[in-house]
C-alpha cells in the first residue's frame, strides 16, 4: 500500500490554542460552497430533507459574487489565512463553479492552503482535472461503503461502486502527473467509517484505496451534529474520539476560537457544527469578514465558554463534539484567555 495511514488532522502542525487565543485573525475560514448535497446520508442532517426544511435553512449554492467578496475581504488581515476550507453542510462539488472558487482564492494571495471534503461521486475526470489545475492543496474523500449496495444503504443514493473507484483513481493519477509537471502537491486523503465496515471490508478498503491516495484512515463515528440523531443504528466507539484521541468532555469548545464559518447564504455561524444555521454572528453580505471575526457577537459566545457557561447556550450545550471531535483542551487556559481579551479592549 502506497498511502500513509494517518488521521485527517496533521498532528505535527497543530498549534495549542490555549497559548495563543484570542486570535487577531482565524487560522481557518470554513466556507460552504453548497448547503445542498447529492447524497442523503443517514448520519447527516443535510440528508434529511424534511428536517432541513423545518429549520428554514437555506438550501442551495453560494452566490459567486458573495464568495469573491469573502476572499477579497481577507486582505484586511495582517497575513494570509492559513487554510480556506471549502466545505460545511453540503456537497461542495454541487457548486458548478467550484474549480473557479479554488482558482480565485489561489490567485488572491490571501490564503496559504485550500482544501475541501467531498463524497467524491461527482468527481468526473474533467472536474478532477479542473480542480487540481486550479491549485487546490488537499481533497478529503469520504467513502460511505465498499459496494454499490452498501453505499446506497447509507447514502440513500444509487452509486456504481466500480465507476466510483475509477474516478478516484483518475483523480490521484492526474494529481501526481501535475505534481511531476509543475511541483504543486495536491494531497488526496481518503477516509471511511470503521464502524460500518466488517473486518473483511476494512481490509478491502485499504487494499482498494491505499494505492490511489496519499493518506488513508478509518475514522470512528461519533455524534457530530448537535440535536441530530442518526437514522441508522451504527455502533459508536464512545471511548475514542474521531481521530483516535481520548474522549472526554471539554468545557471550552476550541472551534469558536480559530475557525470563521461562512454559510452558503453568506451568514456566519459560531462553528462548523451549526447545521441549522441557528447561531449567527454576522453576514458577509453586509459586514467585512474582519469585522465579524472581531465582532462582539462572536466574542460573547467565546466568553460564555471561557466562563464555564457553555451549557447556557442551548445548541452548544447539546453538542458532543467537545468530547469526540476536538484535539484541543483550552479549559486550563480559560481564565488567562479572558484576561487577554480584556487587555485587547
Amino acid at each position: 500500500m502506497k498511502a500513509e495511514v494517518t488521521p485527517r488532522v496533521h498532528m505535527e502542525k497543530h498549534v495549542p490554542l490555549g497559548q495563543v487565543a484570542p486570535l487577531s485573525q482565524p487560522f481557518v475560514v470554513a466556507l460552504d460552497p453548497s448547503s445542498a448535497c447529492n447524497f442523503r446520508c443517514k448520519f447527516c442532517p443535510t440528508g434529511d430533507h424534511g428536517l432541513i426544511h423545518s429549520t428554514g435553512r437555506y438550501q442551495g449554492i453560494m452566490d459567486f459574487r458573495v464568495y469573491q467578496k469573502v476572499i477579497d475581504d481577507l486582505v484586511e488581515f495582517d497575513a494570509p489565512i492559513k487554510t480556506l476550507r471549502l466545505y460545511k453542510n453540503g456537497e461542495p462539488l454541487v457548486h458548478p463553479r467550484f474549480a473557479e472558487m479554488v482558482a480565485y482564492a489561489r490567485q488572491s494571495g490571501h490564503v496559504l492552503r485550500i482544501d475541501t471534503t467531498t463524497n467524491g461521486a461527482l468527481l468526473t475526470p474533467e472536474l478532477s482535472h479542473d480542480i487540481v489545475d486550479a491549485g487546490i492543496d488537499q481533497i478529503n474523500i469520504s467513502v460511505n461503503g465498499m459496494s454499490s449496495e452498501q453505499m446506497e444503504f447509507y447514502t440513500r443514493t444509487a452509486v456504481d461502486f466500480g465507476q466510483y473507484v475509477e474516478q478516484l483513481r483518475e483523480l490521484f493519477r492526474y494529481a501526481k502527473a501535475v505534481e511531476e509537471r509543475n511541483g504543486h502537491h495536491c494531497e488526496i486523503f481518503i477516509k471511511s467509517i470503521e464502524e460500518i465496515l466488517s473486518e473483511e471490508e476494512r481490509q478491502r478498503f485499504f487494499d482498494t484505496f491505499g494505492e490511489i491516495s496519499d493518506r488513508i484512515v478509518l475514522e470512528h463515528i461519533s455524534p457530530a451534529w448537535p440535536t441530530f440523531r442518526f437514522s441508522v443504528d451504527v455502533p459508536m466507539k464512545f471511548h475514542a474520539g474521531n481521530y483516535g484521541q481520548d474522549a472526554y468532555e471539554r468545557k471550552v469548545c476550541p472551534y469558536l476560537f480559530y475557525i470563521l464559518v461562512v454559510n452558503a447564504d453568506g451568514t456566519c455561524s459560531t462553528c462548523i457544527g451549526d447545521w441549522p444555521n441557528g447561531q449567527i454572528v454576522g453576514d458577509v453580505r453586509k459586514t467585512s469578514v474582519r469585522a465579524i471575526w472581531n465582532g462582539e457577537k462572536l466574542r460573547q459566545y467565546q466568553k460564555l465558554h471561557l466562563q464555564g457557561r457553555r451549557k447556557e447556550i442551548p445548541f452548544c450545550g447539546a453538542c458532543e463534539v467537545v468530547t469526540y471531535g476536538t484535539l484541543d483542551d483550552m479549559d486550563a487556559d480559560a481564565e488567562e484567555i479572558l484576561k487577554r481579551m480584556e487587555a485587547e479592549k
Side-chain angles (χ1 to χ4, degrees):
M1 184 175 70
K2 297 176 182 177
E4 183 182 0
V5 181
T6 60
R8 188 182 346 176
V9 178
H10 285 281
M11 305 289 192
E12 71 281 1
K13 298 180 181 180
H14 187 70
V15 177
L17 271 176
Q19 298 175 15
V20 295
L23 303 174
S24 61
Q25 63 184 70
F27 285 156
V28 178
V29 172
L31 181 145
D32 203 10
S34 168
S35 58
C37 188
N38 57 318
F39 279 7
R40 296 183 57 237
C41 295
K42 295 179 178 180
F43 30 74
C44 176
T46 298
D48 188 332
H49 293 175
L51 174 65
I52 296 301
H53 180 74
S54 72
T55 68
R57 188 186 90 186
Y58 169 70
Q59 283 287 84
I61 64 171
M62 176 173 279
D63 185 294
F64 196 75
R65 290 167 298 182
V66 174
Y67 174 76
Q68 288 175 308
K69 180 186 180 298
V70 173
I71 301 303
D72 294 346
D73 277 359
L74 300 181
V75 73
E76 295 184 2
F77 291 117
D78 293 336
I81 299 298
K82 290 179 182 292
T83 301
L84 173 66
R85 184 150 295 147
L86 295 175
Y87 166 73
K88 189 206 170 199
N89 287 323
E91 167 53 50
L93 304 189
V94 165
H95 201 298
R97 301 180 71 176
F98 181 82
E100 291 180 67
M101 297 174 99
V102 174
Y104 191 84
R106 173 59 63 212
Q107 293 161 12
S108 74
H110 302 331
V111 298
L112 298 178
R113 184 175 177 81
I114 306 168
D115 67 32
T116 192
T117 297
T118 170
N119 57 47
L122 299 177
L123 278 171
T124 62
E126 181 181 15
L127 182 56
S128 291
H129 296 182
D130 287 347
I131 294 171
V132 173
D133 287 341
I136 200 164
D137 296 288
Q138 183 170 334
I139 302 175
N140 305 315
I141 301 159
S142 302
V143 176
N144 297 297
M146 285 304 297
S147 67
S148 298
E149 295 75 20
Q150 195 175 40
M151 289 190 76
E152 183 168 5
F153 175 77
Y154 286 111
T155 70
R156 293 182 281 212
T157 307
V159 178
D160 183 326
F161 186 73
Q163 179 181 320
Y164 177 76
V165 173
E166 289 309 307
Q167 287 180 179
L168 301 191
R169 189 185 308 280
E170 173 58 19
L171 168 67
F172 183 70
R173 183 205 68 78
Y174 190 75
K176 296 302 111 181
V178 168
E179 182 175 6
E180 188 173 326
R181 187 166 65 242
N182 65 23
H184 179 73
H185 176 59
C186 172
E187 182 174 75
I188 308 302
F189 175 74
I190 298 182
K191 63 187 178 71
S192 190
I193 302 168
E194 181 175 317
E195 286 77 17
I196 70 171
L197 303 178
S198 67
E199 187 119 5
E200 182 274 329
E201 288 165 341
R202 293 171 193 169
Q203 185 57 54
R204 191 150 46 86
F205 167 76
F206 286 113
D207 291 342
T208 302
F209 297 105
E211 298 299 313
I212 55 173
S213 61
D214 296 292
R215 296 194 298 131
I216 189 170
V217 81
L218 286 172
E219 291 183 348
H220 295 302
I221 195 167
S222 67
W225 309 102
T227 73
F228 173 76
R229 291 294 174 262
F230 305 149
S231 59
V232 62
D233 183 22
V234 181
M236 289 185 274
K237 289 195 172 183
F238 287 105
H239 64 276
N242 298 46
Y243 315 115
Q245 78 275 30
D246 292 339
Y248 61 92
E249 185 177 7
R250 283 81 163 166
K251 294 178 182 178
V252 181
C253 178
Y255 287 112
L256 278 74
F257 293 86
Y258 76 96
I259 301 180
L260 177 69
V261 178
V262 186
N263 299 314
D265 62 356
T267 59
C268 293
S269 286
T270 51
C271 73
I272 55 177
D274 180 21
W275 61 268
N277 297 355
Q279 292 187 174
I280 302 300
V281 295
D283 189 328
V284 297
R285 295 167 296 185
K286 304 172 183 177
T287 313
S288 75
V289 169
R290 184 173 182 270
I292 294 170
W293 177 251
N294 292 304
E296 191 58 29
K297 285 187 177 180
L298 180 56
R299 279 289 188 264
Q300 285 304 316
Y301 280 105
Q302 292 173 338
K303 286 176 181 177
L304 285 171
H305 279 242
L306 293 169
Q307 292 164 355
R309 299 165 61 192
R310 173 175 61 85
K311 294 192 176 180
E312 292 180 21
I313 310 168
F315 198 73
C316 293
C319 184
E320 296 178 81
V321 173
V322 290
T323 298
Y324 304 105
T326 181
L327 297 172
D328 277 286
D329 186 340
M330 303 171 65
D331 294 358
D333 299 299
E335 188 175 341
E336 188 59 36
I337 297 169
L338 276 169
K339 289 179 182 177
R340 292 199 290 262
M341 279 186 174
E342 289 303 315
E344 266 188 350
K345 290 184 178 179

